[in-house]
Amino acid sequence: MTPPPPPHEDRTPRTTPTLVLVAHGSRDPRALHTVRALRSRVRALRPDLPVHLGHIDLNEPRLPDTLRQLPTPEAILVPLLLTRGYHVKQDIPELAAQAQAHTRVAPPLGPHPLLVETLCDRLVEAGWHTGPRGGSAVVLAAAGSRDPESKLDTRRTAHLLATRLGVPVIPAYASAATPTVPEAIHTLAAQGHHRMAVASCFTAPGRFATQCAKAAPWIASAPLGAHGAMARLVLHRYDQTRATNAGATHPGGAGNRATSHNEPAAACEPHPANA
């Protein structure tokens, strides 16, 4: 006769939560192409993991439609956003809470060393020199938000980037916050910097990324896009959220968000692009 299972053994069937990439959406057709390419790269890194895409606005599929068609009863939503702010704190959790599936919301992608790795590689692709950098400086161009935590996250990313590159990095914003990119460039010029690059801290091409790049007096890097480090960062946020919430199952209609996304401020040397 088969002995009964131990009294505390959990015999509940386990499934791997679907990873849902949550993009903002854009009228720029390049944005949809970019987030689809990032989804493909994430799938290539972890072929057995179901990876789907949903948009907050402007593009299809919309997030509620994606959540209605999940292949598993659980999902972890990873925002393709780089700081805390209204979308991360309000929009995405509210949409997740309406889903029938059990949902959890990961922190935004930044700040994180893998984000800085991507920023560095995009700068190198644009013409950034890894040799002597006297007189060089960088403006870290971000979307901007009225949320003070969003600005704090951008400043921390700027600090990590400055540590890695060994030059001053000033955060600047396309909207809702100051300084603007032209204002940051003016500040750096007044400090004696004559070679100023704009690092595009945007997930995908769009109006803000184009606007900030046009203001660059020297070079402007491409948006982060489907870089290999971005795909690894997406999976890190997924794994982090899954581990953080281990044992805490949230029924349909009760989406929640992960509580912490702070990462060690690792300083690294520049290296060639590997996108």
Side-chain angles (χ1 to χ4, degrees):
M1 185 174 66
T2 303
H8 297 297
E9 182 178 346
D10 185 356
R11 290 300 185 92
T12 304
R14 299 298 183 188
T15 59
T16 300
T18 296
L19 192 167
V20 178
L21 301 173
V22 184
H24 181 278
S26 172
R27 293 182 177 86
D28 190 321
R30 296 174 298 169
L32 181 57
H33 174 78
T34 299
V35 295
R36 284 174 172 170
L38 180 57
R39 177 185 60 185
S40 296
R41 196 145 198 180
V42 172
R43 285 174 171 171
L45 288 175
R46 200 167 297 181
D48 296 333
L49 177 64
V51 181
H52 291 254
L53 174 65
H55 293 87
I56 299 171
D57 198 7
L58 298 172
N59 293 123
E60 301 293 337
R62 297 293 178 88
L63 181 56
D65 296 330
T66 297
L67 295 177
R68 278 195 293 269
Q69 300 173 35
L70 291 174
T72 62
E74 295 185 45
I76 293 175
L77 282 59
V78 178
L80 298 182
L81 301 168
L82 307 175
T83 67
R84 291 167 288 180
Y86 184 82
H87 293 309
V88 171
K89 294 180 178 180
Q90 299 295 327
D91 281 345
I92 297 174
E94 286 175 3
L95 292 171
Q98 297 169 18
Q100 293 303 308
H102 298 193
T103 58
R104 286 170 273 174
V105 181
L109 298 181
H112 193 276
L114 286 170
L115 175 60
V116 175
E117 178 180 330
T118 309
L119 288 165
C120 288
D121 284 354
R122 293 298 188 222
L123 281 169
V124 170
E125 291 170 354
W128 181 265
H129 306 298
T130 58
R133 295 178 291 274
S136 298
V138 173
V139 173
L140 181 68
S145 170
R146 293 181 179 87
D147 190 315
E149 288 188 321
S150 176
K151 206 167 182 179
L152 180 65
D153 290 344
T154 303
R155 286 200 300 268
R156 185 153 186 255
T157 297
H159 173 73
L160 291 172
L161 184 59
T163 300
R164 179 155 183 166
L165 293 177
V167 302
V169 177
I170 293 182
Y173 307 94
S175 70
T178 57
T180 65
V181 171
E183 288 169 345
I185 290 170
H186 178 77
T187 297
L188 288 170
Q191 294 172 355
H193 300 285
H194 59 271
R195 193 168 51 187
M196 291 165 284
V198 171
S200 297
C201 198
F202 302 97
T203 305
R207 178 169 60 91
F208 285 164
T210 300
Q211 168 189 319
C212 292
K214 286 180 177 178
W218 176 37
I219 59 171
S221 63
L224 304 165
H227 191 285
M230 292 296 286
R232 299 198 306 273
L233 179 51
V234 165
L235 287 170
H236 169 70
R237 289 299 189 217
Y238 171 88
D239 292 336
Q240 177 189 40
T241 302
R242 191 177 182 191
T244 300
N245 291 277
T249 303
H250 302 277
N256 80 313
R257 55 184 175 271
T259 57
S260 175
H261 70 293
N262 291 328
E263 303 290 344
C268 308
E269 289 300 317
H271 54 83
N274 62 5

